[in-house]
């Protein structure tokens, strides 16, 4: 599907008013990002821009509380999250009240546990071996929201790199794998495709197939911790009922 100046990259619908959506939200870039790095952005409709803005803001504070604030790949991200809920940094009384409500909502969803469950923990977000944890705190992270984030990134970079949209004839699948299970996948993508880095915090590798369409494999690494694996594949035509 070829690109058009008035078709949203995300929903593929015509729009009257164009907005620009950052493929990776600006607040997700760590402080170690080189200042001259181009922060990818794509045209989209206002509705999709608002939807993904809320989704990314919600994911940021959940994930931002689970990463190492001293790592070069995520430097400044956790501080940014904490600053966003502190009333002393508010611009107005209304803003201070909103920050207070946000902090209360975060606290209400934190759970102190004696040990993490064996299933349901996002790969690379469990306990770090060798560290002493005086308390173990867990927070829910919606896997469907992470899948939507991966889909958005794949759509955005496909548009930037090929000037094409991923049409309705394709499915975008996003997976979360342990490093060991995803090792061969990552090697394949990096060997046959291209890799783009915006400093130590964000790295994307992708490889398109030889069919000339949008079929492709993806490996997305954010902050060295959040790792998304993706595949864009043609949808199978509906099978006719046998007589």
């Amino acid at each position: 599907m070829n690109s058009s100046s008035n078709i949203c990259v995300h929903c593929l619908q015509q729009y009257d008013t164009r907005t620009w959506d950052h493929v990776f939200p600006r607040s997700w870039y760590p402080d170690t990002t080189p200042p001259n790095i181009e922060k990818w952005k794509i045209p989209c409709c206002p509705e999709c821009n608002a939807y993904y803005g809320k989704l990314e803001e919600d994911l940021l504070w959940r994930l931002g509380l689970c990463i190492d604030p001293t790592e070069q790949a995520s430097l400044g991200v956790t501080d940014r999250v904490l600053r966003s809920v502190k009333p002393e940094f508010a611009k107005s009384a209304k803003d201070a009240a909103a920050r207070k409500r946000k902090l209360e909502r975060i606290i209400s969803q934190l759970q102190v546990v004696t040990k993490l469950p064996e299933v349901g923990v996002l790969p690379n977000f469990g306990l770090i071996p060798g560290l002493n944890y005086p308390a173990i705190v867990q927070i829910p992270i919606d896997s469907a929201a992470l899948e939507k984030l991966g889909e958005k990134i794949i759509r955005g970079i496909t548009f930037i790199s090929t000037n094409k949209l991923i049409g309705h004839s394709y499915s975008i699948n996003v997976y979360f794998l342990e490093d060991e299970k995803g090792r061969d996948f990552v090697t394949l993508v990096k060997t046959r495709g291209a890799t783009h880095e915006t400093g130590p915090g964000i790295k994307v590798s992708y490889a398109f197939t030889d069919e000339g369409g949008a079929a492709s494999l993806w490996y997305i690494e954010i902050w060295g911790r959040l790792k998304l694996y993706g595949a864009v594949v043609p949808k199978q035509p509906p099978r006719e009922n046998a007589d």
Side-chain angles (χ1 to χ4, degrees):
M1 182 176 185
N2 292 328
S3 64
S4 176
S5 59
N6 62 340
I7 295 181
C8 176
V9 171
H10 302 308
C11 67
L12 306 179
Q13 300 298 312
Q14 299 275 343
Y15 55 73
D16 295 324
T17 302
R18 182 180 67 181
T19 62
W20 289 98
D21 179 29
H22 282 80
V23 176
F24 292 95
R26 285 174 291 182
S27 56
W28 286 48
Y29 287 87
D31 293 347
T32 48
T33 303
N36 59 341
I37 283 291
E38 179 184 1
K39 296 179 172 62
W40 298 312
K41 56 184 181 180
I42 51 177
C44 71
C45 67
E47 290 78 10
C48 283
N49 203 341
Y51 168 78
Y52 281 109
K54 291 181 180 179
L55 181 145
E56 291 158 350
E57 180 183 9
D58 183 75
L59 282 175
L60 177 61
W61 68 257
R62 294 176 188 275
L63 296 167
L65 295 176
C66 303
I67 57 180
D68 188 344
T70 66
E71 287 287 342
Q72 292 295 298
S74 54
L75 194 66
V77 174
T78 300
D79 291 341
R80 209 170 296 141
V81 171
L82 296 176
R83 184 185 177 95
S84 72
V85 297
K86 292 182 178 180
E88 59 264 36
F89 294 108
K91 299 178 181 178
S92 64
K94 182 178 180 180
D95 184 26
R99 288 169 183 255
K100 183 175 182 293
R101 290 193 299 270
K102 182 178 179 181
L103 178 60
E104 291 172 347
R105 184 162 68 95
I106 293 174
I107 293 175
S108 71
Q109 297 190 42
L110 297 175
Q111 295 181 326
V112 179
V113 296
T114 55
K115 67 176 182 177
L116 290 176
E118 295 183 2
V119 296
V121 176
L122 186 65
N124 301 307
F125 279 82
L127 300 181
I128 299 176
L131 291 184
N132 179 37
Y133 292 85
I136 301 175
V137 182
Q138 64 179 13
I139 188 169
I141 297 175
D142 187 2
S143 61
L146 283 175
E147 290 169 2
K148 291 298 292 184
L149 174 69
E151 177 183 333
K152 175 203 164 177
I153 294 170
I154 290 171
R155 287 188 181 278
I157 298 181
T158 295
F159 180 82
I160 290 171
S161 61
T162 68
N163 199 35
K164 293 181 179 179
L165 302 170
I166 299 178
H168 296 295
S169 60
Y170 289 91
S171 295
I172 302 176
N173 305 304
V174 178
Y175 311 95
F176 316 103
L177 303 173
E178 298 288 348
D179 286 351
E180 184 61 35
K181 293 181 179 179
R183 196 179 308 279
D184 291 341
F185 182 96
V186 173
T187 299
L188 175 65
V189 175
K190 289 186 175 181
T191 301
R192 298 192 177 184
T195 297
H196 292 291
E197 301 183 17
T198 61
I202 295 175
K203 303 175 183 178
V204 180
S205 299
Y206 56 89
F208 288 91
T209 66
D210 296 332
E211 66 148 22
S216 50
L217 299 177
W218 295 78
Y219 173 64
I220 303 162
E221 183 178 311
I222 304 173
W223 310 320
R225 298 285 297 279
L226 178 58
K227 301 177 182 181
L228 308 177
Y229 303 78
V232 181
V233 296
K235 290 181 180 177
Q236 297 296 323
R239 302 178 64 179
E240 296 183 1
N241 295 329
D243 294 336

